[in-house]
Amino acid sequence: MVHITHNKHRLLELTIHIICWGLFFGFPLFFTQDDSGSIDWREFINHSGVSLSFFVIFYINYLLFIPKVLFKEHTGQFILLNILLILVVSIGLRYWHNIIAFPPPAPRRPHLPPQYIFYIRDITSMIFTVGLSVAIRMSLHQKEYSSILTIKIPDNNKKILP
């Protein structure tokens, strides 16, 4: 059986986080090229807003809400904090897309879907991001506490002779 020390486990965990988020932020580079093959940085910045919003929600939950609220068994407070966080981040993301990154054209184009569709899409994705952070953090929490709470139970099947 391979025994991984606490420091090696943390280093492995950090490496996995860096690789995953690097891929997540770098993936839009494949889809933001113009016809000449060069990267359209304006489009990349637009896509980076989505990645950044998921990053913020994931780590606020992973580092703050889950250990400080959920592990203290304040589930209602955890849900309320996440509802507020998701609403603030989704409004900020729509602000980013509509005003900063890509201001909307003057006349409203009739073929565009209604704005609430984008809010629903973003909020749904953010809820899944919260779920992912909870799942990962809970699995680490379970492993940490199961190793601490290992108790040696005596074998009661042995016969004791007088």
Side-chain angles (χ1 to χ4, degrees):
M1 183 168 138
V2 177
H3 178 50
I4 299 176
T5 64
H6 182 71
N7 289 339
K8 286 183 182 178
H9 183 268
R10 290 290 181 200
L11 181 62
L12 177 64
E13 181 184 348
L14 178 65
T15 304
I16 290 170
H17 281 256
I18 290 170
I19 290 170
C20 289
W21 285 109
L23 289 171
F24 195 72
F25 276 95
F27 195 64
L29 289 173
F30 295 110
F31 300 105
T32 57
Q33 296 179 0
D34 58 16
D35 294 334
S36 67
S38 62
I39 296 171
D40 181 0
W41 289 104
R42 185 175 171 174
E43 186 71 25
F44 177 73
I45 296 296
N46 184 37
H47 286 291
S48 295
V50 174
S51 300
L52 184 63
S53 68
F54 294 157
F55 183 85
V56 166
I57 287 178
F58 182 88
Y59 282 108
I60 285 177
N61 273 282
Y62 191 82
L63 299 172
L64 187 65
F65 290 172
I66 296 169
K68 305 273 189 224
V69 180
L70 189 62
F71 286 167
K72 305 280 192 234
E73 298 182 10
H74 301 294
T75 308
Q77 185 180 5
F78 175 77
I79 292 170
L80 180 63
L81 286 169
N82 270 294
I83 289 170
L84 293 173
L85 177 65
I86 288 172
L87 286 175
V88 167
V89 171
S90 65
I91 290 169
L93 183 60
R94 286 294 100 215
Y95 176 77
W96 171 259
H97 280 272
N98 292 335
I99 296 173
I100 296 174
F102 289 102
R108 178 86 174 138
R109 296 182 292 197
H111 65 279
L112 290 177
Q115 285 292 314
Y116 71 87
I117 294 294
F118 297 109
Y119 282 105
I120 292 171
R121 179 199 62 192
D122 294 341
I123 288 171
T124 303
S125 298
M126 291 175 194
I127 290 170
F128 284 123
T129 303
V130 170
L132 179 64
S133 66
V134 169
I136 293 171
R137 191 65 183 209
M138 291 293 274
S139 68
L140 292 173
H141 183 71
Q142 179 64 29
K143 285 180 185 178
E144 289 171 1
Y145 280 99
S146 66
S147 65
I148 291 171
L149 297 176
T150 304
I151 300 170
K152 188 172 183 177
I153 300 173
D155 187 8
N156 291 334
N157 295 331
K158 291 183 182 178
K159 293 182 180 180
I160 300 175
L161 298 173

